[in-house]
């Protein structure tokens, strides 16, 4: 990156955007909640609680957010010695991918009532898992086989690979966010889903044109370095696949952002890895029949095989 | 300036032309699409129940759709079921509201034709109009109750759960005791050769014949599929084993866990746990609904 | 400028000399992604053929009315329109095949081959020539996809078009998703080999 100050700013705003959902959590009698072991929910109270009130399983109503009518029976509630941490044990293992709603009846302390609250895996973790999934597990190049024309075209040199990857990531994020707005606020309310392809490709062209114009005026040096790749972005299927996927999955704003970032980053990663190998391969003795594109395909196949090892990866 | 105007004019005209072409295509295909989807669904349902072209379903067979909604009123949630009515030959539908503890709340008659009830939008409009203002509804799921005359034969449960890559959509048939009669994978995007094998007989037929108690504890094992079981599961394909033999082998393995697909344990596990969840939730809900219908003397055709 | 090739030559050109997959190395995504069976290759080939022919004809028909400054957006709009049409038609009448091809039908819109053909051929030639060129390119793509599908299906599943021909599965490896890369690479190498041998024989 030629402009470190700008890059740092970009990174900072990114972090701020990520932290937003975490900071927005409300304060109350219940200070924290999380999934414990397979069939446990751990509730942390803001103050020490009365054991007699807390440990009565009948006071708890717990259900999965999607299925409010199916109560999950609490078999036992254990309160830790400090009176702040309660462990709810359930008869059957919980499905921790779903958000659970817990409401506690008859529990007041110092004028504050414990209302119902949601227990789910950390949202930040979920967002990061979308990012990691798009980056590694479902890498668009190596496991979804998209964007291959541009991939093979621009992975001959490391410099080209970096330039293409970065340009692509920026356009990807911007166009995905615009597509998300369009999908949520125009296409869905007016039943225009069948126009998906036209609208998304139109937005991508618009983004490319806008980035082109802005870059040309604001930072000509950067434009000279990256301008050539802008045209190629449009011929990359990933750029149109991402809006289609996020429309299919009904992702919200943050999730869409993460998916786009992961898709762009994954493409950058794939390009960089591939170009590193291809630079070396120029020195290798390759049979004439395999020279050029065929050997590149074989290498990409090996990368794909290696990336298969990421499947099932579950960090968060 | 003149060039810009020409460009704008030409772009507008081409957009209008494109819009006309796409709109025409949409109008022409949307009806056929709905029709084909409906036909396919019917075919899958009948297949799951063991009927085919050679063995057509009896005329007395009735299929009654039951739609479940989640009703929100302010902060409070409740369940609502759109049930078909059987009384005095008038037919029609009723929206039965049940609170989260399983107690009857209200019953609203809904006037909607049977064909219209299949359309999600029309159905929603009709329900909202009888509920009155201040309430919103969210569609949850659909169940088809299969009857033969007075007797309940089976339930058909469409469902959707996360697989290895994206969602897996299935259709499942269960008997009145909630044992599985059959499973069909409707849509999936698992990898071909690996997770994509969930559509094969030797995987999905493993669920056939599992009793409710077995399903509750059902797990996935990574041992290879025994040879005789494989033959029994694929009996429909090559016509190798006779019906009696198949029944015998099925009986022998009916309490076993699901044998995972080679190289696709995650896909196998997601299908198993998805099926488990569907059966468990459905059995709980239908019991409540049946009790309420009986208490309130709501006559239904199932 | 009008092309001096006959209609037949245009078609053959698309299938052999400028085969989109093996010679021009364009539209690789579906070639790797869903060329697991002959049928998949055929269906996507039909879709691409449709889009290519209709887009080529549309552009050739209106070539004098398109302002040079908005050439590319017009191409994109044309392609996107025809992709939407084929997408809707397939979803309505062939839901099963449509489900198998997943997102790839919609992604035809980003296939470089179609835009390239519009830019290099259709915007200069007559409707008739563009039609045959579109047919050639579409058939070339279909041929490439089906050839890949044939190899992968035969070696991976031991079947052709779903019919069991071998009775066993020689190398399951070939239908696994990542094998698409190897398969395309090996087939390209194979064509290169034929070319090298052919040239050598000619010289001798």
């Amino acid at each position: 990156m030629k402009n470190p100050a700008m890059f740092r700013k970009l990174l900072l705003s990114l972090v701020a955007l990520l932290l937003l959902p975490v900071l927005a959590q409300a304060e109350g009698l219940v200070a924290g909640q999380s999934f414990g072991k397979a069939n446990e929910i751990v509730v942390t109270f803001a103050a020490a609680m009365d054991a007699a009130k807390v440990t009565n399983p009948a006071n708890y109503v717990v259900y999965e957010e999607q299925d409010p009518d199916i109560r999950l029976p609490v078999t036992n509630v254990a309160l830790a010695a400090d009176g702040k941490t309660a462990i709810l044990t359930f008869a059957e293992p919980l499905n921790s991918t779903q958000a659970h709603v817990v409401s506690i009846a008859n529990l007041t302390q110092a004028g504050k009532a414990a209302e119902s609250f949601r227990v789910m895996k950390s949202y930040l973790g979920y967002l990061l898992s979308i990012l990691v999934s798009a980056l590694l597990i479902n890498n668009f190049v190596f496991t979804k086989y998209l964007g291959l024309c541009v991939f093979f075209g621009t992975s001959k040199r490391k410099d080209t690979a970096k330039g293409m990857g970065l340009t692509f990531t920026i356009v990807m994020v911007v166009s995905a966010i615009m597509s998300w707005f369009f999908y949520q606020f125009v296409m869905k309310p007016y039943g225009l889903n069948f126009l998906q392809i036209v609208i998304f490709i139109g937005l991508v062209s618009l983004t490319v044109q806008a980035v082109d114009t802005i870059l040309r005026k604001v930072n000509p040096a950067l434009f000279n370095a990256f301008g050539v790749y802008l045209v190629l972005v449009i011929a990359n299927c990933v750029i149109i696949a991402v809006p289609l996927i996020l429309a299919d999955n009904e992702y919200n704003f943050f999730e869409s952002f993460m998916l786009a970032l992961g898709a762009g980053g994954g493409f950058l990663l794939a390009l960089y890895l591939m170009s590193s190998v291809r630079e070396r391969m120029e020195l290798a003795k390759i049979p004439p029949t395999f020279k050029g594109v065929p050997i590149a395909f074989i290498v990409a196949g090996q990368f794909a095989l290696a990336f298969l090892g990421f499947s099932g990866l579950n960090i968060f | 300036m003149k060039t810009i105007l020409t460009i704008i004019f030409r772009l507008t005209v081409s957009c209008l032309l494109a819009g006309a072409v796409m709109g025409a295509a949409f109008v022409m295909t949307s009806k056929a699409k709905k029709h084909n989807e409906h036909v396919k669904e019917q075919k899958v349902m009948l297949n799951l129940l063991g009927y085919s072209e050679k063995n057509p379903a009896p005329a007395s067979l009735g299929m009654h759709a039951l739609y479940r909604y989640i009703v929100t009123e302010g902060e409070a949630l409740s369940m609502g079921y759109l049930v078909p009515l059987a009384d005095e030959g008038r037919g029609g539908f009723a929206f039965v509201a049940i609170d989260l503890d399983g107690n009857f709340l209200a019953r609203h008659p809904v006037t909607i034709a049977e064909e219209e009830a299949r359309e999600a939008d029309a159905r929603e409009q009709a329900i909202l109009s009888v509920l009155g203002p201040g309430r919103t509804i969210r569609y949850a799921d659909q169940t088809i109750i299969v009857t033969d005359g007075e007797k309940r034969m089976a339930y058909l449960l469409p469902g959707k759960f996360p697989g290895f890559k994206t969602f897996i959509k299935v259709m499942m048939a269960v008997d009145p005791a909630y044992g599985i009669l059959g499973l069909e994978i409707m849509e999936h995007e698992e990898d071909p050769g690996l997770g994509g094998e969930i559509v094969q007989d030797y995987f999905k037929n493993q669920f056939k014949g599992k009793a409710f108690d077995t399903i509750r504890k059902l797990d996935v094992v990574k041992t290879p599929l025994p040879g005789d079981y494989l033959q029994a599961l694929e009996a429909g394909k090559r016509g190798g084993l006779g019906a009696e033999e198949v029944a015998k082998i099925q009986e022998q393995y009916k309490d076993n866990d699901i044998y995972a697909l080679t190289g696709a344990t995650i896909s196998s596990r997601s299908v198993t746990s998805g099926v488990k969840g569907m059966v468990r939730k459905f059995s709980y809900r239908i019991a409540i609904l049946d009790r309420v219908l009986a208490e309130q003397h709501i006559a239904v055709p199932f | 400028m009008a092309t001096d090739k006959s209609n037949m030559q245009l078609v053959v050109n698309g299938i052999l000399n400028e085969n989109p997959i093996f010679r021009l190395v364009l539209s690789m995504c579906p070639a790797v992604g869903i060329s697991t069976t002959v049928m998949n290759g055929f269906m996507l080939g039909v879709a691409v053929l449709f889009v290519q022919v209709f887009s080529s004809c549309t552009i050739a028909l209106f070539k004098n009315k398109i302002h040079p400054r908005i050439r590319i957006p017009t191409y994109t709009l044309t392609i996107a329109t025809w992709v939407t049409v084929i997408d809707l038609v397939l979803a309505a009448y062939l839901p099963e095949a449509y489900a198998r091809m997943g997102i790839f039908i919609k992604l035809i819109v980003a296939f470089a081959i179609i835009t390239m053909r519009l830019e290099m051929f259709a915007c200069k030639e007559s409707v008739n020539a563009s039609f045959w060129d579109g047919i050639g390119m579409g058939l070339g793509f279909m041929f490439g996809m089906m050839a890949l599908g044939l190899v992968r299906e035969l070696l991976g599943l031991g079947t052709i078009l779903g019919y069991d021909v071998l009775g066993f599965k020689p190398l399951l490896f070939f239908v696994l998703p990542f094998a698409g890369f190897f398969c395309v690479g090996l087939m390209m190498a194979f064509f290169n080999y034929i070319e090298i041998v052919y040239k050598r024989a000619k010289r001798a």
Side-chain angles (χ1 to χ4, degrees):
Chain A
M1 202 85 191
K2 289 211 166 81
N3 198 335
M6 208 180 95
F7 186 63
R8 220 171 293 147
K9 236 182 257 168
L10 205 81
L11 208 72
L12 266 179
S13 49
L14 219 154
V15 171
L17 209 65
L18 279 178
L19 287 177
L20 233 134
V22 182
L23 298 175
Q25 271 185 7
E27 276 289 303
L29 185 57
V30 177
Q33 64 276 326
S34 63
F35 286 111
K37 282 179 212 148
N39 57 347
E40 288 178 357
I41 286 180
V42 181
V43 181
T44 320
F45 295 102
M49 303 300 289
D50 183 2
K53 280 183 192 165
V54 173
T55 53
N56 182 4
N59 281 345
Y60 292 84
V61 174
V62 184
Y63 53 83
E64 286 177 20
E65 200 174 29
Q66 289 296 315
D67 303 297
D69 56 334
I70 297 187
R71 301 293 162 75
L72 304 171
V74 180
T75 49
N76 183 35
V77 181
L79 194 63
D82 63 354
K84 279 187 178 174
T85 312
I87 297 174
L88 280 59
T89 314
F90 295 85
E92 279 170 33
L94 302 170
N95 178 4
S96 62
T97 53
Q98 291 279 334
H100 285 58
V101 176
V102 179
S103 39
I104 313 177
N106 309 323
L107 188 70
T108 46
Q109 186 104 352
K112 281 195 275 189
E115 287 179 346
S116 61
F117 53 88
R118 296 166 76 214
V119 184
M120 52 195 267
K121 281 189 171 172
S122 141
Y123 192 59
L124 196 63
Y126 175 61
L127 285 181
L128 283 176
S129 76
I130 291 182
L131 179 74
V132 171
S133 154
L135 200 67
L136 298 175
I137 308 168
N138 291 319
N139 185 293
F140 277 82
V141 176
F142 291 135
T143 63
K144 292 203 172 164
Y145 323 108
L146 298 177
L148 296 181
C149 306
V150 181
F151 174 70
F152 285 110
T154 57
S155 61
K156 286 197 192 91
R157 291 259 153 275
K158 268 192 216 158
D159 296 334
T160 335
K162 275 188 270 185
M164 181 67 214
L166 276 178
T167 317
F168 176 75
T169 310
I170 292 167
V171 177
M172 177 79 260
V173 170
V174 174
S175 71
I177 288 173
M178 288 206 318
S179 308
W180 180 80
F181 272 105
F182 246 83
Y183 177 69
Q184 288 294 330
F185 299 114
V186 180
M187 286 156 76
K188 230 167 49 162
Y190 297 104
L192 292 176
N193 258 341
F194 71 97
L195 289 181
Q196 267 182 356
I197 305 170
V198 176
I199 290 182
F200 289 156
I201 196 87
L203 286 174
V204 172
S205 325
L206 206 67
T207 320
V208 169
Q209 197 61 54
V211 172
D212 188 293
T213 316
I214 294 171
L215 216 59
R216 206 188 288 254
K217 294 265 159 64
V218 175
N219 198 333
L222 211 63
F223 178 77
N224 285 338
F226 292 137
V228 282
Y229 306 119
L230 277 171
V231 191
L232 283 176
V233 167
I234 244 188
N236 188 339
C237 349
V238 181
I239 202 120
I240 184 85
V242 168
L244 290 172
I245 289 175
L246 59 90
D248 259 5
N249 286 1
E250 297 281 334
Y251 277 162
N252 72 18
F253 177 77
F254 293 109
E255 292 159 2
S256 309
F257 177 77
M258 283 317 216
L259 180 72
L261 196 66
F267 194 67
L268 175 65
L269 180 76
L271 272 178
Y272 189 75
L273 289 174
M274 189 69 185
S275 60
S276 308
V277 175
R278 281 178 86 173
E279 279 192 358
R280 288 215 155 196
M281 250 171 9
E282 280 177 10
L283 305 173
K285 261 194 203 158
I286 298 163
T289 39
F290 275 92
K291 268 233 158 78
V293 187
I295 192 73
F297 267 92
I298 306 283
V299 172
Q302 285 167 338
F303 269 122
L305 204 57
F307 268 69
L308 206 64
F310 285 118
S311 64
L313 179 77
N314 202 346
I315 314 173
F316 304 102
Chain B
M1 194 59 200
K2 198 163 167 268
T3 16
I4 293 188
L5 280 182
T6 340
I7 289 178
I8 292 177
F9 174 72
R10 289 194 177 159
L11 257 186
T12 320
V13 170
S14 35
C15 283
L16 285 178
L17 270 178
V21 171
M22 284 184 286
F26 178 69
V27 171
M28 280 192 283
T29 54
S30 67
K31 221 174 169 181
K33 185 178 175 185
K34 268 185 198 142
H35 175 75
N36 280 351
E37 272 171 6
H38 184 68
V39 167
K40 188 189 164 201
E41 219 176 73
Q42 288 287 330
K43 204 178 147 205
V44 169
M45 287 178 188
L46 290 175
N47 271 341
L48 278 177
L49 296 171
Y51 299 114
S52 58
E53 272 158 25
K54 280 183 216 146
N55 174 24
S60 57
L61 195 79
M63 288 194 178
H64 310 284
L66 180 70
Y67 303 94
R68 183 168 68 89
Y69 285 88
I70 297 175
V71 185
T72 322
E73 191 182 5
E75 285 278 287
L77 293 174
S78 59
M79 289 286 135
Y81 294 90
L82 185 70
V83 293
L85 293 177
D87 54 351
E88 302 103 47
R90 273 181 295 135
F93 291 85
F95 192 69
V96 179
I98 299 173
D99 75 2
L100 296 185
D101 299 311
N103 300 317
F104 174 74
L105 285 178
R107 168 190 175 180
H108 311 274
V110 179
T111 43
I112 183 169
E114 204 167 322
E115 289 79 38
E116 269 185 320
R118 278 193 217 128
E119 305 283 330
D121 290 335
R123 204 166 59 217
E124 211 150 288
Q125 285 302 323
I127 296 171
L128 278 176
S129 67
V130 297
L131 279 184
R135 291 184 180 140
T136 53
I137 54 173
R138 197 177 78 225
Y139 174 68
D141 60 19
Q142 177 194 7
T143 307
I144 292 115
I145 300 173
V146 185
T147 56
D148 189 3
E150 293 281 289
K151 203 170 92 249
R152 261 188 224 188
M153 274 178 62
Y155 305 107
L156 289 164
L157 319 174
K160 182 179 161 185
F161 40 80
F164 176 54
K165 288 215 148 158
T166 50
F167 283 96
I168 299 175
K169 262 174 121 175
V170 300
M171 170 84 77
M172 189 166 51
V174 297
D175 62 20
Y178 314 121
I180 297 181
L181 291 173
L183 176 75
E184 186 61 57
I185 313 285
M186 306 292 283
E187 275 174 39
H188 75 94
E189 278 179 40
E190 307 299 289
D191 291 324
L194 300 170
E197 297 283 294
I198 51 172
V199 300
Q200 300 288 343
D201 282 345
Y202 74 87
F203 180 73
K204 66 182 188 207
N205 281 353
Q206 287 186 38
F207 290 93
K208 221 177 192 171
K210 297 267 187 260
F212 186 48
D213 286 325
T214 320
I215 298 165
R216 291 178 72 103
K217 295 191 291 283
L218 203 60
D219 203 354
V220 173
V221 288
K222 286 205 207 176
T223 46
L225 195 66
D228 56 342
Y229 194 29
L230 176 70
Q231 275 186 332
L233 291 171
E234 290 196 329
K237 212 152 122 190
R238 291 181 199 134
L241 289 180
E244 270 175 43
E245 251 179 293
V246 172
K248 211 177 92 195
I249 300 172
Q250 291 269 23
E251 178 71 23
Q252 184 191 339
Y253 286 97
K254 80 177 167 51
D255 290 329
N256 281 34
D257 285 334
I258 301 297
Y259 293 94
L261 292 167
T262 321
T265 315
I266 303 179
S267 298
S268 317
R269 245 186 242 287
S270 10
V271 175
T272 309
S273 65
V275 164
K276 248 163 93 171
M278 275 165 67
V279 174
R280 195 168 50 89
K281 284 171 185 167
F282 173 73
S283 63
Y284 180 87
R285 286 193 178 116
I286 195 76
I288 289 178
L289 182 67
D290 276 339
R291 198 195 68 225
V292 168
L293 291 179
E295 277 172 9
Q296 299 299 321
H297 305 292
I298 300 173
V300 286
F302 48 82
Chain C
M1 180 202 90
T3 177
D4 49 1
K5 286 180 185 161
S6 73
N7 297 341
M8 211 51 220
Q9 278 170 328
L10 284 171
V11 174
V12 172
N13 175 53
I15 297 176
L16 296 177
N17 300 3
E18 294 191 33
N19 186 294
I21 293 182
F22 295 118
R23 302 310 295 255
L24 302 181
V25 201
L26 288 171
S27 38
M28 299 315 307
C29 313
V32 173
I34 54 163
S35 62
T36 44
T37 63
V38 181
M39 203 55 201
N40 278 359
F42 176 70
M43 287 309 298
L44 196 71
V46 170
V48 169
L49 183 73
F50 172 88
V51 175
Q52 179 75 66
V53 168
F54 274 74
S55 306
S56 285
C57 288
T58 315
I59 293 297
L61 197 61
F62 293 107
K63 61 176 178 287
N64 298 325
K65 308 267 187 317
I66 297 167
H67 198 284
R69 298 254 308 263
I70 52 163
R71 219 174 56 241
I72 300 289
T74 316
Y75 294 164
T76 314
L77 183 69
T78 313
I79 299 171
T81 307
W82 292 117
V83 172
T84 308
V85 170
I86 190 81
D87 184 67
L88 289 169
V89 169
L90 284 182
Y93 297 106
L94 291 169
E96 280 173 33
Y98 181 75
R100 264 206 308 277
M101 285 183 287
I103 201 167
F104 280 102
I105 289 280
K106 289 184 170 137
L107 290 182
I108 294 178
V109 78
F111 279 13
I113 176 71
I114 298 173
T115 322
M116 203 193 85
R117 239 30 226 170
L118 298 185
E119 169 84 16
M120 308 234 314
F121 199 90
C123 72
K124 297 176 204 143
E125 305 289 343
S126 67
V127 176
N128 185 44
S130 303
F131 174 79
W132 289 107
D133 180 65
I135 295 262
M137 281 294 144
L139 283 179
F141 177 81
M142 194 198 278
F143 163 75
M145 286 292 287
M146 283 173 73
L148 275 171
L150 184 74
V151 170
R152 290 183 74 176
E153 193 178 339
L154 188 67
L155 292 182
L157 297 172
T159 62
I160 290 177
L161 282 169
Y163 293 104
D164 214 332
V165 285
L166 292 183
F168 65 100
K169 296 178 180 179
L171 284 164
L172 184 67
F173 171 79
F174 274 95
V175 278
L176 296 185
F178 52 82
F181 284 115
F182 291 108
C183 221
V184 173
L186 290 175
M187 280 184 80
M188 277 179 177
F190 178 67
F191 283 118
N192 282 351
Y193 178 73
I194 290 178
E195 201 181 323
I196 288 172
V197 169
Y198 179 72
K199 272 184 189 158
R200 210 180 284 157
K202 225 175 167 184
R203 226 182 298 138

